[in-house]
mmCIF file of all heavy atoms in Angstrom:
data_model
loop_
_atom_site.group_PDB
_atom_site.id
_atom_site.type_symbol
_atom_site.label_atom_id
_atom_site.label_comp_id
_atom_site.label_asym_id
_atom_site.label_seq_id
_atom_site.Cartn_x
_atom_site.Cartn_y
_atom_site.Cartn_z
ATOM 1 N N GLU U 72 64.300 203.269 151.226
ATOM 2 C CA GLU U 72 62.969 203.725 151.660
ATOM 3 C C GLU U 72 62.861 203.778 153.168
ATOM 4 O O GLU U 72 61.844 204.255 153.700
ATOM 5 C CB GLU U 72 61.902 202.746 151.123
ATOM 6 C CG GLU U 72 61.845 202.697 149.592
ATOM 7 C CD GLU U 72 61.163 201.427 149.102
ATOM 8 O OE1 GLU U 72 60.684 200.649 149.936
ATOM 9 O OE2 GLU U 72 61.094 201.241 147.865
ATOM 10 N N SER U 84 64.610 192.166 168.704
ATOM 11 C CA SER U 84 63.659 191.155 169.243
ATOM 12 C C SER U 84 63.961 189.748 168.703
ATOM 13 O O SER U 84 63.417 188.777 169.213
ATOM 14 C CB SER U 84 62.211 191.540 168.899
ATOM 15 O OG SER U 84 61.988 191.445 167.496
ATOM 16 N N ARG U 123 72.654 199.843 176.714
ATOM 17 C CA ARG U 123 74.048 199.875 176.227
ATOM 18 C C ARG U 123 75.002 199.510 177.372
ATOM 19 O O ARG U 123 75.936 198.727 177.200
ATOM 20 C CB ARG U 123 74.384 201.271 175.678
ATOM 21 C CG ARG U 123 73.750 201.528 174.320
ATOM 22 C CD ARG U 123 74.527 202.582 173.544
ATOM 23 N NE ARG U 123 74.545 203.874 174.199
ATOM 24 C CZ ARG U 123 73.578 204.799 174.108
ATOM 25 N NH1 ARG U 123 72.509 204.554 173.355
ATOM 26 N NH2 ARG U 123 73.683 205.949 174.723
ATOM 27 N N PRO U 191 93.732 168.152 184.829
ATOM 28 C CA PRO U 191 95.125 167.978 184.387
ATOM 29 C C PRO U 191 95.245 168.340 182.903
ATOM 30 O O PRO U 191 94.236 168.324 182.176
ATOM 31 C CB PRO U 191 95.377 166.482 184.597
ATOM 32 C CG PRO U 191 94.038 165.855 184.678
ATOM 33 C CD PRO U 191 93.073 166.890 185.135
ATOM 34 N N PRO U 199 92.913 150.615 175.827
ATOM 35 C CA PRO U 199 93.569 151.007 174.584
ATOM 36 C C PRO U 199 93.056 152.371 174.087
ATOM 37 O O PRO U 199 91.844 152.598 174.097
ATOM 38 C CB PRO U 199 93.176 149.894 173.596
ATOM 39 C CG PRO U 199 92.669 148.782 174.443
ATOM 40 C CD PRO U 199 92.180 149.353 175.732
ATOM 41 N N ILE U 302 85.331 183.748 161.157
ATOM 42 C CA ILE U 302 85.588 184.809 162.131
ATOM 43 C C ILE U 302 87.018 185.330 161.994
ATOM 44 O O ILE U 302 87.267 186.533 162.102
ATOM 45 C CB ILE U 302 85.338 184.279 163.573
ATOM 46 C CG1 ILE U 302 83.818 184.087 163.788
ATOM 47 C CG2 ILE U 302 85.912 185.216 164.631
ATOM 48 C CD1 ILE U 302 83.456 183.309 165.023
ATOM 49 N N HIS U 342 64.103 151.221 188.184
ATOM 50 C CA HIS U 342 62.904 151.087 187.333
ATOM 51 C C HIS U 342 63.116 151.880 186.065
ATOM 52 O O HIS U 342 63.978 152.772 186.009
ATOM 53 C CB HIS U 342 61.658 151.574 188.078
ATOM 54 C CG HIS U 342 61.870 152.933 188.694
ATOM 55 N ND1 HIS U 342 61.856 154.081 187.966
ATOM 56 C CD2 HIS U 342 62.156 153.291 189.982
ATOM 57 C CE1 HIS U 342 62.094 155.091 188.765
ATOM 58 N NE2 HIS U 342 62.280 154.656 189.976
#
Side-chain angles (χ1 to χ4, degrees):
E72 298 161 3
S84 68
R123 286 204 298 275
I302 289 168
H342 49 76

